[in-house]
Amino acid sequence: MESVIRKWGNSPALRLPTTVLKEAGYQLEQKVDLIVSPGRIIIQPSKNIAYDLDTLIKGINAANMHEEISFGSPVGNEAL
């Protein structure tokens, strides 16, 4: 598929058709890494995913919560 790099504000931009995003398995607002080498730009999913603690905590429910796990008695200067 051919596309054209155009100006967007002060930066060059490449618009990706929705079909291209879907076929590659990408979503809007997804973080990506750019790998640049002479004559080539590769877009791949970012491995650095930021998690929001409040969102993660809201996802806890009776079905996915486990019981307390004991690791035994203190063996050093652990605070209990």
Side-chain angles (χ1 to χ4, degrees):
M1 175 178 286
E2 191 172 278
S3 191
V4 177
I5 299 172
R6 300 194 186 273
K7 188 171 183 168
W8 187 355
N10 289 327
S11 301
L14 180 65
R15 294 181 65 150
L16 301 173
T18 302
T19 54
V20 169
L21 242 55
K22 286 182 181 178
E23 187 173 330
Y26 288 85
Q27 300 171 359
L28 291 176
E29 300 299 322
Q30 178 178 349
K31 291 190 178 200
V32 296
D33 291 326
L34 301 177
I35 300 171
V36 181
S37 60
R40 183 170 295 202
I41 301 169
I42 299 172
I43 303 170
Q44 67 182 27
S46 177
K47 294 178 183 173
N48 297 326
I49 300 172
Y51 294 100
D52 178 56
L53 182 58
D54 291 333
T55 303
L56 292 173
I57 290 173
K58 286 178 187 174
I60 296 173
N61 59 46
N64 64 19
M65 191 177 347
H66 59 78
E67 298 294 323
E68 181 179 324
I69 298 172
S70 173
F71 291 95
S73 301
V75 294
N77 295 322
E78 292 96 338
L80 295 180

